Amino acid sequence: MSRTDIEAVEEINTAFYEAMEQGDFDALSALWLEDEISCVHPGWPVLSGRGEVLRSYALIMSHTEYIQFFLTDTKVAVLGDTALVTCTENILSGGPAEDSGELGPLVGQLVVATNVFRRTSEGWRLWSHHGSPVLTDSEDEDEGDTD
């Protein structure tokens, strides 16, 4: 495992989130493998195959006016031609306001993510993305309230 592999994987992982932030569907599509891929968005079922996965991103992008990712706890492991990235996505997002058409209220969300990459002749490509919501302390307390 060379330092350059880790840097290359960090770079494509960052490009994945930047494409989402910029709403650049073509750039996002180019980051994924051409063959069997999978994706789990928080609260969604498993999506399999390039068409299904990319349609989900098109849908998300078309319904999200603003999104920004602050990645924390990022860890990269490379074994041969496979790389694993785990991180916490600190997401700030918003859609259009109901009446005015301006940006509506921003919402924060914590998601833990696992991104799996495979080395190809064109460089590292995304094979699988899995995001799972993180319950905050206030949500845990609310669920335990019996008042």
Side-chain angles (χ1 to χ4, degrees):
M1 169 174 64
S2 71
R3 181 72 182 130
T4 55
D5 280 343
I6 290 174
E7 290 169 347
V9 170
E10 287 172 340
E11 186 177 297
I12 194 155
N13 193 65
T14 298
F16 170 63
Y17 290 101
E18 287 176 349
M20 283 289 295
E21 288 179 345
Q22 295 163 6
D24 190 338
F25 182 76
D26 292 337
L28 183 111
S29 298
L31 298 173
W32 286 86
L33 288 170
E34 290 295 326
D35 48 3
E36 283 306 305
I37 59 175
S38 68
C39 179
V40 177
H41 299 294
W44 292 40
V46 177
L47 303 174
S48 298
R50 192 168 166 82
E52 205 171 85
V53 169
L54 293 181
R55 269 192 300 279
S56 75
Y57 282 100
L59 182 66
I60 290 168
M61 288 178 173
S62 70
H63 289 86
T64 306
E65 287 286 312
Y66 175 85
I67 191 163
Q68 189 169 11
F69 295 89
F70 300 95
L71 302 182
T72 56
D73 308 315
T74 303
K75 293 179 179 53
V76 179
V78 177
L79 184 59
D81 291 335
T82 304
L84 181 72
V85 177
T86 57
C87 61
T88 300
E89 301 171 351
N90 301 270
I91 305 169
L92 190 60
S93 64
E98 292 298 317
D99 299 323
S100 67
E102 295 177 11
L103 186 62
L106 294 177
V107 177
Q109 182 181 15
L110 278 180
V111 173
V112 289
T114 301
N115 297 321
V116 183
F117 297 90
R118 243 181 27 209
R119 186 193 322 263
T120 71
S121 56
E122 292 85 36
W124 292 96
R125 294 294 178 263
L126 197 52
W127 188 3
S128 182
H129 168 79
H130 187 135
S132 181
V134 175
L135 297 178
T136 63
D137 288 340
S138 63
E139 288 172 336
D140 290 341
E141 291 168 7
D142 291 345
E143 288 177 10
D145 279 349
T146 56
D147 298 5

